[in-house]
Amino acid sequence: MASNSMLGRVPPHNEEAERAVLGAILLNDKVLAEVTDYLGKDDFYKSGHQELFDAIIQFRQDSSETLDLITLSSFLKKKDLLDRCGGLSYISTLTSDVPTTTNASYYAKILKALAQRRKLLTFSSKLKDSAYDEAQDIQKVIDDGEQSLSKLNNETAGSDNYYSIKDLVTTTISEIEERSTSGIKSGFDSCYAPLDSMTGGFKKQELIIVGARPSIGKTAFALSVTLNMIVKKKYRVGFFSLEMSASSLMERLITGQSHVDFSHIRKATLKNSEMNSIIDASGALYDAELYIQDTPNMKLMELRAQARRMKLEHDIQIIFIDYIGLIDAEADARIPRHEQISMISRSLKQLARELDLPVVCLCQVGRQADGVEPKLSDLRDSGSIEQDADVVLLLHREVGKNRTDDEGEREKNNIQETKIIMAKNRNGETGVFSLAFVSNVVRFEEMEMSKKFISGNNPNA
């Protein structure tokens, strides 16, 4: 049912443009292939024009004859569609108003734009009705509305068409040449050389899972990558923290950037030199673009809505989520948790594609991985995480093994070697490399960089 605001108003349309497109098709069979890149049946406003366009598509699929008034009218009579398409006399008039077929694509684009306006009016009317219906959950109304609007916004001519390999080869080679010439990667660098070498950077539309047992440093890893991205690469980052407050995250970012001992910040036992380092670090962070949402146990639809808002308002380039197990799927309590996690995982992958950016999500690893290197199958609650993810990184530290002198020296300096296991990489290689977790500044560094901590030098110097 249409809302009162739309009663008595005629939706946007252009009957002359519709006639011109149909007439051009009847005059030149090749025009059909051109305009179907833009139009479908529902892009016509007049019902008779919808029926005729659909009948022309059917004719082309069912018949090898040349399309003209005679062959089409015969086809329409056999299918008992002639009257529904306006009758033979009306169809005959369509060609008389078309002096040339060269403008058919131009008129097709006009019809597409008008069709999108009608869809927008229908969307707004339904959204208004849903907002008035108090039986509907308001957050679901908002989420559904944002998804519909996002889909309409991304709808472009030819978006549902197949691609010729000739076109794909040409465009792909051009993109490769441009990247080679400019030296710009297609992914977003973490600034950890071994990781970026394997992934080529985190790619748009990818879901990246970072898994580990508690206390191994999932959040520290995510914040370390975030710090590299916002300070070194000047990326725009969205961070959803469902466990820690924004102020706690900020303290970690400051200690990671300043390399001031975290316990000194927490206990307020700072020396003057440390306070100066913090002030310098704060200056670097102040100019960075990081947007933090710290709602605990956030509902899935709210998270998606906030992510869209960050994308719209700040054009964020990557999203971090800490962590998947704390997202509320808003599902029936009788649905098993692993099925709820499956819903969340699929939704996050869809979000990455919808917003055209990487989504990095942290995940717990099951108890079976205590003391041993974790595997893909150890990801907690759902195997669908493994299926949906494009990249899976698993963090692991050896516990209780005999230490070499070098390892003992590193531990004295709060440096713990951590294995980063590339367990899945849909578009690249898998493997294992190590990073140094510098526990007193709660930050990951490359192993070579960690030597500066042992020597007492400032790593930023």
Side-chain angles (χ1 to χ4, degrees), residues 219-236:
T219 300
F221 178 80
L223 285 176
S224 297
V225 175
T226 296
L227 194 56
N228 290 342
M229 287 184 166
I230 62 175
V231 174
K232 295 180 180 180
K233 306 301 292 187
K234 307 300 181 184
Y235 296 149
R236 299 179 296 277

Side-chain angles (χ1 to χ4, degrees), residues 93 130 151 208 211 223 242 313 320 332 346:
T93 66
S130 296
K151 182 179 179 181
I208 298 100
L223 285 176
L242 283 67
E313 295 180 354
F320 289 82
D332 190 317
R346 283 193 299 271

